[in-house]
């Protein structure tokens, strides 16, 4: 049983930064791969970034590579997404996910948070 709760979303201007957090609970957290997905209005939920349980290898969608950084603090059971140089097209609800298999697709992840809204204006 894994519970995920996102926070840190908000309204920022283009070029600004935002840091999202995902607080996780459950005895299996340290064994799970983690990922961030996002969903804009009227569009499908798509992959943003992922990080393995160990040694913490990271993967990014081409659209955010060089601007976003995913990290995790297993001691605090928290996943992070540092977002820099934000663009209006980054506007979406951001979701964290967890599962035993790392993937860029939605299906393999069995645990999801409720999402946090990120709005980038210009």
């Amino acid at each position: 049983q894994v519970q995920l709760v996102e926070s840190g979303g908000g309204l920022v201007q283009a070029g600004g930064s935002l840091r999202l957090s995902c607080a996780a609970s459950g005895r299996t957290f340290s064994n799970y791969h983690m990922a961030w997905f996002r969903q804009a209005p009227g569009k499908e939920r798509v992959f943003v970034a992922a990080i393995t349980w160990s040694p913490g290898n990271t993967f990014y969608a081409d659209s955010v590579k060089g601007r976003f950084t995913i990290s995790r603090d297993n001691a605090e059971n928290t996943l992070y997404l540092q977002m820099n140089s934000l663009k209006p097209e980054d506007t979406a609800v951001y979701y964290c996910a967890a599962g035993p298999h790392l993937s860029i697709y939605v299906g393999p992840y069995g645990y999801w948070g409720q999402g946090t809204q990120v709005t980038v204006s210009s």
Side-chain angles (χ1 to χ4, degrees):
Q1 183 83 0
V2 177
Q3 305 291 332
L4 305 174
V5 180
E6 303 96 335
S7 63
L11 174 64
V12 297
Q13 293 187 344
S17 298
L18 209 59
R19 189 194 194 199
L20 305 184
S21 298
C22 176
S25 62
R27 291 171 291 181
T28 62
F29 177 78
S30 63
N31 296 325
Y32 274 58
H33 305 305
M34 303 285 290
W36 288 97
F37 288 77
R38 66 187 182 187
Q39 187 168 22
K43 298 185 178 180
E44 296 183 348
R45 191 171 301 186
V46 298
F47 173 78
V48 175
I51 185 168
T52 62
W53 165 51
S54 180
N57 296 322
T58 58
F59 305 87
Y60 299 92
D62 289 341
S63 59
V64 306
K65 194 171 299 181
R67 300 187 298 121
F68 291 11
T69 302
I70 187 172
S71 62
R72 66 190 297 171
D73 186 339
N74 289 341
E76 297 293 330
N77 290 343
T78 304
L79 176 73
Y80 301 99
L81 184 67
Q82 178 65 48
M83 304 184 294
N84 299 325
S85 302
L86 284 164
K87 305 175 180 179
E89 49 263 47
D90 294 319
T91 295
V93 175
Y94 284 70
Y95 300 88
C96 63
H101 306 288
L102 185 142
S103 177
I104 64 170
Y105 303 107
V106 171
Y109 294 93
Y111 302 98
W112 294 86
Q114 294 298 309
T116 185
Q117 177 71 49
V118 172
T119 302
V120 184
S121 64
S122 181

